[in-house]
Amino acid sequence: MKINKLVSILVPVYNIEKTIERNINILIEKVTAFFMNFEIIISDDGSSDNSKEEIQKICLNFQKNNTNKNLKNIIGVYARENQGKGHALKRACEISNGEYIIFCDGDMEIDPSQLENFFVIMQKENADVVIGSKRHKDSIVNYSNIRKLISFIYFMFVKIFFHLPIQDTQTGLKLFKRDAIINIFPRILVKAFAYDLEVLVACNSNGKKIVSAPVIVNPNRHFGFIRFPTLWRTFIDTLAIFYRLNIVHFYNDLFDELKEKPLVSVIIPLKKINDYIKEETEYLLEQIYTNFEVIILPDKCTNNEIDLELFKDERIKIIETGEFPPAIKRAMGVKKSNGSILAFLDDDTYPEKDWLHNALRAMQSRKVEALGGPAINTPKDNFSKQISGLIYSSTLMSGKHKARYIPDKVQYVNDYPSCNFIITRELYEKVGGFDSEYWPGEDTILCNNIMKQKEKILYTPEALVYHHRRDLFFGHFKQLKGYAWHRGYFVQRFGGNSLSLSYFIPSIFLLYSIFIPFALYFNLPQILNNYIHAVNKNIFLYLLLFPHSFYALCLIGSWINTLSPIKGFCKAIGILLSHLTYGAFFIKGFLKGFTKN
């Protein structure tokens, strides 16, 4: 069977410098017989050996010496750090061009010549996805018994919870029609061992037909016993997929491929050039969407600070502003920008490579002019900052606003922080831009003005950035005090998107916590019993203490669902202190707004 349409073969690799060239040559030799038009994208998942250099050599040799008329290109994609096979495939998929997309493990333990049969099955079954299955009746698998047992247990778990029409999800050879996968992959969150399952669950939930194909598997590497942390991580990721599929319907509302490519101005205010902005600039320059400019706005800078190769890119502009708050700096950046789309980041964030691409896809698909995406915790932070991030991303702390800190379902919002906010220039100017009088909170005023214009703000989990948090005590609580004071102040001054019950709850909790000791001291349950004889005083006591008892159980649950017991304990204590701090300063800001009015 001859395949004339372009086929993209995605090859994830990690630490295989000694065999990568041989394996790619095997792949080319095996598929050239039936692929008339194909490309190979080798995605290195942050290898610690010389795999990157070997891949670069393979790509260079192809450019110089290609004699295979069927092979159109070999492309290398490189991750900064090891994040998992799913992450490597996702990055490769972003730059693929084929009408068909293939996942093919770089170790070549599954002979790629079997792909011809995959296409036969796809055509015969009119399928969107064909996956290799070790459990197919015609498969020949030479795995150890322990791995077969683990595979069987995982299969039964998946069968019970996901009802997929297949018997295996993990085999490393898969074939997709482009329209079955290209809009799904940006929504995939799992980066490690459960990524196959998430891809197939997302495809199945979007009505794509998945069928299995037999494979011959001859492992060419030794498989030892799988470590417990790996099994536990896979189990947790699998439960997370179940939650996203059935509870929040995360895999719905997918967006079309990008059509128009407007100029985007990325605007970043900061006090001075620091390591964070250097890191952020490096990630921005790796965006798969390339039509952008970056405007960096420090108070002042020296030639030595900006005399770096990464700042010499023609898309980077560094403009000294003097000492102004971020809101004014953002407004100044807009005046210096040229883009029809304005993208605002903080200097302590850095974006995924598909951040702009996914944001523009969402804006064009939904025809909206303002958009926000999650600013999730970065694994690069120290222990103290990680705890701060865990506090913010906890449902107990952030409630319905947790989507700001972890990827959540697509939704419309009425308020969104400017650390990851994108808006058309037309709408920005229409609503008056950032109000320079307030910081923090200037983004709340901007969003409030957008709401007044009857415009929508879309949230999408695909427009993802990472956010360095503050150190737990001084930095975290100082930031929280500012958030709370301004929110309480805005309730009185502006109302609108600040009039949400979730903002009042910490203050109610604080006041109730102050009330309880007095109620117990004056024996309030007995007093109520004196007036209502039919109700036992112990019932009143239970009702009095119930809110805090329930809250304590929630804190314990928050502790337990954190994989690290130490981090979980610190998070639980931090949530309690954060609620009390927010509650106190929200009241203070509210009273200030009241007197201002």
Side-chain angles (χ1 to χ4, degrees), residues 503-517:
Y503 297 129
F504 291 81
I505 289 177
S507 297
I508 296 171
F509 172 75
L510 174 63
L511 294 174
Y512 191 73
S513 299
I514 295 171
F515 167 74
I516 282 180

Side-chain angles (χ1 to χ4, degrees), residues 248-304:
V248 298
H249 307 293
F250 186 77
Y251 307 109
N252 298 345
D253 301 311
L254 302 177
F255 303 123
D256 299 330
E257 290 198 65
L258 189 62
K259 298 179 178 64
E260 301 175 7
K261 295 188 176 181
L263 176 64
V264 180
S265 297
V266 182
I267 298 170
I268 309 169
L270 70 164
K271 287 185 177 295
K272 61 181 181 180
I273 302 297
N274 52 43
D275 289 340
Y276 281 166
I277 191 63
K278 295 173 186 176
E279 173 190 55
E280 185 171 28
T281 303
E282 289 174 350
Y283 278 89
L284 283 167
L285 293 178
E286 293 178 352
Q287 291 290 299
I288 61 172
Y289 184 88
T290 58
N291 190 25
F292 65 89
E293 62 179 2
V294 180
I295 300 174
I296 301 171
L297 302 157
D299 292 351
K300 58 182 179 179
C301 57
T302 65
N303 290 334
N304 288 336

